[in-house]
Amino acid sequence: TNRAGQIYTHILGNVATMIETDIIAYVQIIKGKISSDMDKLSKLLWDNYDDRLSDKVSSIRYEDSFCPSDPIVDEIINEMQTNFEEVTGEKIYNTSYWGHIHEKNMSTNTHNHKGSYVSAVVYAQTPENCGQIVFLPKLNPYESSTYKRSYVAEKGTYLMFPSYLDHFVTRNNSNDIRISMSLNFNKL
């Protein structure tokens, strides 16, 4: 495989030429485990399920629910900020968070979180076959599937990603609900 900064020597006849590789695009996804109690988070989000961020069934925010301030949310935010700084060297602060509950056959259309620096999802309840999050970097306008990457929802796992990154969530094929919390952060 070619890696950035590698230099190759190519010999054609008596002439040696140098070939150098470089990377001009890089998208980092951070995956980790949260140490906080996911059952507490699930209960908090489920208790606020009916407090939707939109009443319009056709709105992408219809499946999003208000999440009140709570010590469990503060723990998760602090842990994610610490982990992000450890990985990237950058400090971030939280700007918003909300519950995201998918019943059987629900999915989320392609979107991004434009206006924020980093976005994240924390999976609180993930029954088997409850779907995946799929990221779609726009690196090649002719072939969008080449670079897509999907992650299966796993209880207690979080993903942090650039807010500009398009993504969608596949259908929940489970008979149970999938519960997650979405978050946005900006740079300090």
Side-chain angles (χ1 to χ4, degrees):
T1 18
N2 293 347
R3 296 178 188 256
Q6 282 192 329
I7 299 174
Y8 300 87
T9 303
H10 177 73
I11 301 176
L12 182 60
N14 292 333
V15 180
T17 60
M18 301 299 281
I19 302 169
E20 184 175 337
T21 65
D22 199 4
I23 293 175
I24 60 170
Y26 175 76
V27 178
Q28 185 175 38
I29 309 284
I30 299 171
K31 180 180 178 181
K33 283 290 214 182
I34 289 291
S35 60
S36 301
D37 186 341
M38 291 296 102
D39 293 333
K40 277 186 184 177
L41 179 61
S42 286
K43 182 175 178 355
L44 177 68
L45 297 173
W46 180 251
D47 288 348
N48 290 279
Y49 180 45
D50 291 328
D51 192 0
R52 297 182 188 269
L53 299 184
S54 174
D55 293 331
K56 293 181 181 178
V57 177
S58 61
S59 170
I60 196 164
R61 299 307 306 256
Y62 178 74
E63 63 211 25
D64 300 340
S65 301
F66 172 74
C67 178
S69 180
D70 189 271
I72 190 79
V73 174
D74 294 340
E75 284 176 26
I76 291 166
I77 290 170
N78 288 336
E79 190 171 345
M80 292 178 89
Q81 288 171 314
T82 300
N83 294 347
F84 187 83
E85 183 177 1
E86 191 175 304
V87 170
T88 67
E90 297 178 321
K91 292 185 180 213
I92 54 174
Y93 65 95
N94 181 255
T95 58
S96 60
Y97 54 87
W98 59 95
H100 197 83
I101 296 174
H102 271 176
E103 296 177 23
K104 183 174 179 66
N105 293 321
M106 287 179 74
S107 61
T108 302
N109 291 332
T110 302
H111 67 285
N112 60 45
H113 298 240
K114 191 166 56 173
S116 295
Y117 182 63
V118 174
S119 296
V121 61
V122 179
Y123 295 106
Q125 181 175 308
T126 57
E128 194 171 333
N129 297 317
C130 69
Q132 303 176 40
I133 187 168
V134 181
F135 295 103
L136 302 166
K138 293 178 184 174
L139 301 177
N140 181 345
Y142 307 108
E143 180 54 65
S144 63
S145 65
T146 301
Y147 303 102
K148 79 177 178 181
R149 177 77 158 91
S150 61
Y151 295 84
V152 174
E154 299 172 45
K155 183 176 181 176
T157 297
Y158 71 85
L159 297 166
M160 299 181 83
F161 51 92
S163 298
Y164 63 79
L165 185 58
D166 283 350
H167 57 284
F168 65 92
V169 179
T170 62
R171 186 176 312 281
N172 177 5
N173 290 315
S174 167
N175 290 322
D176 295 320
I177 57 170
R178 178 180 64 226
I179 301 177
S180 61
M181 181 173 69
S182 297
L183 307 94
N184 287 323
F185 297 87
N186 277 332
K187 222 173 165 179
L188 273 177

